[in-house]
Structure formats: structure tokens, C-alpha cells
């Protein structure tokens, strides 16, 4: 138990330092591969923080040439004949030196003297049910992790119910044609589902085991539709949703550490930047500006919706 808490503390301290350093390097590495290598760094960091247990077993150190000494056998005195003194086993000197013999076994059983008299009363053992600070800290951590897990699962299942009610396959020929053309361009053997969902403001990729690209209902078309599908299919090709889910799990385990919640925002930012870098490499220079305007317009619509929901 203490080992789990020590490992958790060491991981959260080391992880906080790594998050701080990566946040600093993100300001100085804005080159072509800056966000891409940071995503790999986030992946390695999240994989280690996702398991708050020691990776290697601890072995007890032993002195060289140490030998195991067998226990000293206990000699039980045999029966005595009438008029004969009982046999006394070899003493270690405790009786001769005047030391008081032990009162009895620690498990509370009665002791029978060797002369056959009445047994002595049992000795009460000390209670060891005291709750230590390690128990309290461990239960607090588990309770917080369980509460955060329930909160995230509740939000996930609510979103799934929303999709079952309002999402439907895309029937627009232009969207299906653009989706298939971009899938061939990205060389995707397996592709996500293409759904249209009422109430969405921006396209998004959702789902880990059954991924789907969700399009707003009747809001985008033409060049904007193509750039949006390219962006979401690049997310799918990079498997960014797995990294985001892993960072959410890490923040759930380390719920008490604000650096882990800050890491989720950094992972979200770097996955978007890396996705844009990959998408721009497949476009001509003339399309850079329209692609950037499409992404910025989607971000503005999303922030506007979040602001309205906050005010309500």
C-alpha cells in the first residue's frame, strides 16, 4: 500500500515536471515537426502515467555470504513418575539469571504448567486495527478517481444516446463523393462512418471502437466541406482520438494534480496543430489560406456556442 502511494507521488511529481518542460518547449519549437514530435512525447508520458504502479519488483538486499540459521528446536518435557522431579530441558540461562519467563503465547491460548496444575489464564493480544495515514490517503485517491471516472462515463453515455437519437447516415451525394475521394487520397483501407447530426456546429470525429465523422446538418458545402473532411480524416489516420482518450484517463487517475488537467489542453492543442501540418502537406500552396480560414471559422463557431451555453 505504501509502495503504491510512493509510486503515485513520484509519478505525479515527475509528470508535472515533464508537462512544464513540454509546455515551455512548445513556445520555442514552432517548426515543421514541432507539434508532431510533442505528440509522441505526450504519448510516452501518458503511457507511463496511466499505470501508477512500479514497473519492476523490488528485491530485498541481502548481505554477502549470508546464511539462513535454522530455528532452535523446542524440547518438551516428558511425563514424570511419582516421586521424581520433572526433567528440565537445557536452559539458555534465563531462569538461572533471575529473568521472568514469558507469560504465554501471543495468540491468546492458555498455557499449561509442566507440573500438571491448573492452566494459566490466556494472554490478551494487542489489537492492530488502527487506521494509518496511508489507508486514509489511499481511500481518498480511489474515491476521487472513481468519481472522475463516473463523471466521464456519464458524459460519454449521454453523448452516445444523443447520437442514437439524432444521427443518421449522410445521403448527400457531394459529401459522399468527397469523403470517398479523400479516403483514397489518404490511402485508408478502413474508414469511419459518415453521419449527419442535428445540433452540431462543427464537424467532428467521435468514437474509439466505432469511429464516425459527424457533420452538421445543412451548414457546410463545397470547398469548406472538402477541407473539413480532410481535417477529420487526417485525425482518424493519425489515431489522435486514442491519444486524447489516454490523456483523459491519466487526468482521471491524477485528478488531484492540476498539471494533468493542463496536459489535456496541451494534448488537444498539439494534436490539432499536428493534424493541420499533415493536412497542409497534401494541399497546394494556393489552398493554405482557404484551409486556414475554414478551420478558424469552425473554431469561432464552437467557441461562440460554448459561450452561449455558459451564459445560459
Amino acid at each position: 500500500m505504501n509502495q503504491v502511494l510512493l509510486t503515485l507521488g513520484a509519478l505525479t511529481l515527475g509528470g508535472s515536471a515533464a508537462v512544464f518542460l513540454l509546455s515551455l518547449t512548445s513556445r520555442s519549437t514552432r517548426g515543421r515537426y514541432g507539434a508532431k514530435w510533442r505528440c509522441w512525447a505526450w504519448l510516452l508520458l501518458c503511457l507511463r502515467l496511466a499505470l501508477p504502479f512500479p514497473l519492476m519488483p523490488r528485491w530485498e538486499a541481502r548481505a554477502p555470504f549470508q546464511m539462513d540459521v535454522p530455528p532452535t528446536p523446542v524440547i518438551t518435557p516428558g511425563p514424570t513418575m511419582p516421586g521424581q522431579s520433572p526433567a528440565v530441558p537445557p536452559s539458555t540461562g534465563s531462569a538461572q539469571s533471575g529473568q521472568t519467563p514469558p507469560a504465554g503465547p501471543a495468540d491468546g491460548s492458555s498455557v499449561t504448567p509442566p507440573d500438571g496444575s491448573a492452566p494459566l489464564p490466556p494472554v490478551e493480544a494487542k489489537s492492530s486495527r488502527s487506521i494509518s495515514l496511508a489507508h486514509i490517503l489511499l481511500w481518498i485517491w480511489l474515491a476521487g478517481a472513481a468519481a472522475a471516472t463516473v463523471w466521464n462515463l456519464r458524459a460519454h453515455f449521454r453523448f452516445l444516446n444523443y447520437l442514437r437519437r439524432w444521427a443518421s447516415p449522410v445521403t448527400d451525394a457531394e459529401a459522399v463523393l468527397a469523403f470517398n475521394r479523400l479516403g483514397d487520397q489518404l490511402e485508408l483501407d478502413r474508414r469511419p462512418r459518415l453521419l449527419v447530426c442535428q445540433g452540431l456546429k462543427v464537424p467532428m470525429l467521435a468514437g474509439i471502437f466505432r469511429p464516425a465523422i459527424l457533420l452538421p446538418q445543412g451548414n457546410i458545402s463545397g470547398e469548406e466541406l472538402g477541407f473539413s473532411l480532410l481535417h477529420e480524416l487526417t485525425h482518424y489516420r493519425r489515431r489522435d482520438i486514442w491519444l486524447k482518450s489516454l490523456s483523459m484517463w491519466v487526468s482521471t487517475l491524477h485528478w488531484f494534480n492540476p498539471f494533468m488537467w493542463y496536459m489535456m489542453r496541451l494534448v488537444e492543442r498539439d494534436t490539432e496543430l499536428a493534424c493541420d501540418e499533415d493536412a497542409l502537406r497534401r494541399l497546394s500552396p494556393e489552398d493554405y489560406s482557404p484551409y486556414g480560414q475554414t478551420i478558424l471559422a469552425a473554431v469561432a463557431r464552437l467557441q461562440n456556442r460554448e459561450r452561449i451555453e455558459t451564459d445560459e
Side-chain angles (χ1 to χ4, degrees):
M1 182 179 303
N2 291 333
Q3 184 62 30
V4 173
L5 292 177
L6 291 176
T7 304
L8 182 64
L11 285 178
T12 193
L13 290 177
S16 300
V19 170
F20 180 73
L21 292 177
L22 286 174
S23 65
L24 292 180
T25 56
S26 63
R27 302 177 182 178
S28 58
T29 55
R30 296 185 180 274
R32 185 177 179 183
Y33 299 103
K36 187 174 182 179
W37 78 261
R38 282 197 306 272
C39 287
W40 284 105
W42 291 128
L43 177 61
L44 296 177
L45 178 62
C46 289
L47 287 175
R48 182 61 192 99
L49 294 176
L51 299 174
F53 304 103
L55 296 181
M56 299 295 294
R58 297 186 62 184
W59 300 94
E60 296 182 359
R62 301 185 63 180
F65 307 107
Q66 183 178 359
M67 299 180 61
D68 295 331
V69 180
T72 304
V74 178
I75 303 176
T76 305
T80 57
M81 298 298 292
Q84 181 182 1
S85 61
V88 180
S91 176
T92 58
S94 60
Q96 298 176 2
S97 59
Q99 298 180 359
T100 304
D107 57 355
S109 58
S110 59
V111 180
T112 303
D115 56 357
S117 59
L120 299 175
V123 179
E124 296 182 358
K126 295 183 178 180
S127 176
S128 60
R129 298 181 181 179
S130 59
I131 301 178
S132 62
L133 180 60
H135 288 82
I136 298 175
L137 294 177
L138 181 63
W139 282 110
I140 291 177
W141 170 61
L142 291 177
T149 302
V150 171
W151 179 270
N152 292 330
L153 289 177
R154 180 174 176 269
H156 178 68
F157 286 124
R158 287 183 61 185
F159 181 71
L160 291 181
N161 292 331
Y162 179 82
L163 292 182
R164 293 190 189 100
R165 182 176 181 181
W166 300 108
S168 60
V170 173
T171 57
D172 183 59
E174 180 186 1
V176 174
L177 181 61
F179 176 78
N180 292 329
R181 176 176 56 83
L182 290 171
D184 296 337
Q185 181 180 349
L186 295 174
E187 300 178 355
L188 297 177
D189 296 331
R190 300 182 60 183
R191 301 173 186 180
R193 298 172 295 164
L194 186 61
L195 305 176
V196 60
C197 187
Q198 181 180 353
L200 290 182
K201 295 296 182 182
V202 296
M204 61 180 300
L205 177 66
I208 298 178
F209 302 104
R210 295 188 62 195
I213 293 179
L214 306 174
L215 298 178
Q217 191 173 16
N219 285 341
I220 58 176
S221 60
E223 190 178 57
E224 183 181 1
L225 174 63
F227 290 147
S228 299
L229 288 175
L230 175 62
H231 182 84
E232 300 305 330
L233 283 174
T234 305
H235 272 308
Y236 173 78
R237 184 175 182 270
R238 289 173 42 83
R239 296 178 176 84
D240 288 334
I241 196 169
W242 287 90
L243 178 56
K244 294 179 182 179
S245 302
L246 184 60
S247 66
M248 180 179 294
W249 170 250
V250 170
S251 64
T252 300
L253 288 179
H254 301 263
W255 55 269
F256 53 89
N257 189 352
F259 276 95
M260 299 298 105
W261 298 97
Y262 180 54
M263 184 188 68
M264 284 185 57
R265 297 178 57 185
L266 295 179
V267 169
E268 179 76 20
R269 182 201 63 183
D270 286 339
T271 51
E272 293 296 331
L273 292 176
C275 177
D276 291 335
E277 291 175 1
D278 288 348
L280 289 175
R281 281 198 291 268
R282 301 181 181 275
L283 297 175
S284 60
E286 293 78 11
D287 294 329
Y288 289 175
S289 179
Y291 175 84
Q293 293 176 1
T294 300
I295 300 302
L296 291 177
V299 172
R301 289 197 300 268
L302 184 60
Q303 291 178 348
N304 186 30
R305 179 179 179 179
E306 292 178 350
R307 188 180 304 110
I308 294 175
E309 292 177 352
T310 303
D311 295 339
E312 293 178 353

